Amino acid sequence: MRTPRLLPAALVAVLALSATGTACSAPGHGAAEGNVISLSTKSGTPEAPLVATVWTVDSLIGGGTASSLPAGAQGRARFTLAADGSASGSLGCNRFNAKATVAGDSLTFGPLTTTRMACTGPEGSVEQALTELFGSGPLAWKVQGDTLTLTAVAPGTGITAKAASAVE
């Protein structure tokens, strides 16, 4: 048996308000056609800047599907792109540094320089995925609110990351 999903309170309020709204008298907008509800994905959160933000990886994208990081690896992979064109952070286990080039909506990491700890388990699998993604060539980037999405064009892989805090 499937458990019903509850709608967020704000969405319920919008739907209830829309259902009790008045009908417009303009042709094509009357009560006979029904009420129109417009929903937006625009976040109320101001967009975090790509540069000078600590990004904490929260999901891996593969085959068009985003999956949360495995238990034990959550909150460990993070990175920052600096104004001087450098990138640094943690791949989940090892620390890394690289050159980063932003051109429009494209981000390219240069070769990664990393520490060399042996990484197994969830941290190792996240680290392997990030190392492959960052080394795969230009990545498309998009910031919506406090979420960064990086996707590789060819293999359809990527990540999402949340803005943790601004670098000072």
Side-chain angles (χ1 to χ4, degrees), residues 29-146:
H29 291 91
E33 288 85 24
N35 290 326
V36 176
I37 300 173
S38 297
L39 300 177
S40 172
T41 59
K42 194 166 198 168
S43 170
T45 306
E47 289 189 356
L50 176 65
V51 175
T53 298
V54 176
W55 294 104
T56 302
V57 178
D58 63 351
S59 69
L60 300 175
I61 300 169
T65 304
S67 302
S68 297
L69 296 185
Q74 296 167 345
R76 297 181 60 113
R78 64 180 64 91
F79 62 95
T80 303
L81 304 171
D84 68 359
S86 64
S88 62
S90 170
L91 297 167
C93 178
N94 283 295
R95 300 216 25 92
F96 82 95
N97 290 297
K99 180 176 170 31
T101 305
V102 178
D105 62 355
S106 179
L107 170 63
T108 305
F109 287 91
L112 301 181
T113 303
T114 66
T115 55
R116 303 209 181 245
M117 294 187 296
C119 304
T120 59
E123 297 92 348
S125 63
V126 169
E127 179 155 325
Q128 181 179 0
L130 290 176
T131 301
E132 289 173 8
L133 178 68
F134 290 171
S136 68
L139 304 172
W141 69 271
K142 181 178 182 180
V143 175
Q144 285 186 288
D146 66 348

